[in-house]
Amino acid sequence: MKVAVVGATGLVGGEMLKVLAERNFPVDELLLVASEKSVGQKMSFKGKEYSVVSMADAIAQKPQIAIFSAGGSVSKEMAPKFAEAGTTVVDNSSAWRMDPTKKLVVPEINAHELTPEDKIIANPNCSTIQMVVALNKLHQALKIKRIVVSTYQSVTGTGKKAVDQLMNERAGKEGEKAYAYTIDLNVIPHIDVFTENGYTKEEMKMVNETKKIMGDDSIGVTATTVRIPVIGGHSESVNVEFERDFTLEEVYRILHETPGVVVVDDTANLQYPMPLNAHGKDEVFVGRIRRDETQPNTLNLWVVADNLRKGAATNAVQIAEYLVENKLV
């Protein structure tokens, strides 16, 4: 099994390598791929040193799988070139997510839709992944009518520059800025660019991707996405209206049976999900489970996950695992 990691030198690329190693993904030959300026840079994987190679070199070597985390414009240009060489691409950017000819996959929900013909597979947005993992089984049982979600997103979602900005501000040092404003001791209600309807692209990703992954355009979704001075994971306050009523016991049972979900909900002992505890883990943590007492059939949840892992690297590696296990590559 020859595997390429494209964008290997970035935050998510580094996390992908970590996840591949931890999960013992069957890598016989590894290609670490990055931009021309990084070619020749040395990186290690499972105790062995590798040199970063160029896109052209990687394509020529025809890996079976290429896991991309190199940004949308690179994916748009290079993913089809890998696909033409026979490689199956799992792409972490937004480039292919809403393309009607491409599958948008969260393995616990819709990996069964994949076929050997799917040569470019889209990995959803981090904030969408954790929400749909938490909600999918509830949707199957109770049928979701509407979701109102507000996110509290880690600076790691922006990248290394944002982490550096936060740490520099905390230390009182000058440095390069990823955000237009100070992020330390602040909250910025703005992720990605604003669109004509007044929502940001990040907010609209949650709206559109949720419907596509769950295969249901009737679900109403409205989102507000917010950047907070946290490292370790994204948090979400999720208000869900269902078509039919439920008991809280039923909700707990469904969540306990949901693959990839860990329920942390013991308010008597102050137990609830936090980024501090989700950091470095692959599960989606759900707590603060309670009825919305202002209208029928409606539930409030607090959902937390490590955005670099389940929100990006782990989900992509799980897709690759599914491809291998089901002989689709």
Side-chain angles (χ1 to χ4, degrees):
M1 179 64 57
K2 193 184 290 187
V3 178
V5 175
V6 180
T9 55
L11 261 188
V12 175
E15 206 64 35
M16 283 171 172
L17 292 172
K18 199 189 292 183
V19 173
L20 286 167
E22 283 175 15
R23 296 174 74 93
N24 280 316
F25 188 84
V27 180
D28 299 310
E29 203 173 325
L30 181 66
L31 302 171
L32 300 183
V33 191
S35 62
E36 289 297 332
K37 69 176 190 294
S38 298
V39 169
Q41 184 180 321
K42 299 283 190 267
M43 296 182 73
S44 68
F45 177 76
K46 286 191 164 183
K48 189 177 166 190
E49 195 169 68
Y50 293 82
S51 291
V52 172
V53 301
S54 69
M55 296 280 186
D57 281 352
I59 293 165
Q61 293 187 57
K62 298 189 173 182
Q64 281 103 322
I65 295 174
I67 306 177
F68 266 66
S69 187
S73 57
V74 173
S75 292
K76 268 285 190 217
E77 182 190 354
M78 302 309 300
K81 294 181 179 177
F82 275 87
E84 281 162 26
T87 301
T88 300
V89 173
V90 181
D91 180 49
N92 194 52
S93 80
S94 60
W96 306 98
R97 289 176 188 155
M98 295 315 296
D99 184 324
T101 68
K102 306 290 183 285
K103 308 275 172 61
L104 182 65
V105 175
V106 176
E108 294 92 338
I109 298 173
N110 61 346
H112 61 273
E113 295 174 6
L114 291 171
T115 71
E117 286 68 49
D118 292 308
K119 286 300 180 190
I120 299 175
I121 301 161
N123 207 41
N125 186 39
C126 47
S127 48
T128 307
I129 289 174
Q130 67 187 68
M131 185 174 77
V132 297
V133 167
L135 293 183
N136 185 58
K137 289 283 187 193
L138 290 167
H139 177 51
Q140 288 174 5
L142 305 171
K143 187 86 167 63
I144 293 171
K145 281 176 70 175
R146 182 170 186 254
I147 301 167
V148 181
V149 56
S150 296
T151 72
Y152 307 71
Q153 293 183 222
S154 162
V155 294
T156 55
T158 308
K160 184 178 181 301
K161 194 160 121 180
V163 177
D164 290 345
Q165 177 180 340
L166 173 61
M167 291 313 185
N168 285 338
E169 288 168 354
R170 194 148 288 190
K173 289 180 357 197
E174 285 301 314
E176 205 179 0
K177 292 194 179 299
Y179 305 118
Y181 299 99
T182 298
I183 184 63
D184 192 33
L185 300 179
N186 193 25
V187 163
I188 303 174
H190 170 196
I191 300 178
D192 211 326
V193 298
F194 284 98
T195 61
E196 284 180 9
N197 65 358
Y199 288 80
T200 64
K201 272 177 79 175
E202 182 84 359
E203 289 158 354
M204 294 314 298
K205 284 175 196 173
M206 294 195 76
V207 172
N208 297 322
E209 292 178 23
T210 297
K211 296 177 181 192
K212 183 171 177 179
I213 295 161
M214 289 184 160
D216 190 341
D217 281 337
S218 73
I219 300 171
V221 185
T222 187
T224 303
T225 59
V226 180
R227 191 71 68 191
I228 63 171
V230 159
I231 290 169
H234 291 349
S235 306
E236 298 173 350
S237 171
V238 185
N239 178 271
V240 200
E241 183 185 358
F242 298 103
E243 284 195 355
R244 76 166 179 83
D245 201 9
F246 54 84
T247 64
L248 285 179
E249 290 72 24
E250 184 180 12
V251 169
Y252 278 109
R253 179 184 56 74
I254 291 166
L255 287 170
H256 279 296
E257 291 171 358
T258 300
V261 164
V262 174
V263 176
V264 182
D265 195 25
D266 179 5
T267 52
N269 292 299
L270 309 186
Q271 296 295 307
Y272 29 71
M274 295 183 290
L276 201 62
N277 306 121
H279 185 52
K281 299 191 171 74
D282 290 330
E283 296 82 12
V284 173
F285 298 88
V286 181
R288 298 296 321 280
I289 300 161
R290 62 211 187 277
R291 280 187 175 279
D292 176 346
E293 297 182 342
T294 66
Q295 65 172 15
N297 308 353
T298 305
L299 186 71
N300 283 308
L301 304 166
W302 178 250
V303 181
V304 180
D306 186 325
N307 53 294
L308 292 185
R309 290 189 66 104
K310 184 55 183 169
T314 303
N315 199 76
V317 172
Q318 286 173 317
I319 293 170
E321 286 171 344
Y322 186 90
L323 293 171
V324 172
E325 285 161 14
N326 292 275
K327 299 182 170 48
L328 299 176
V329 290

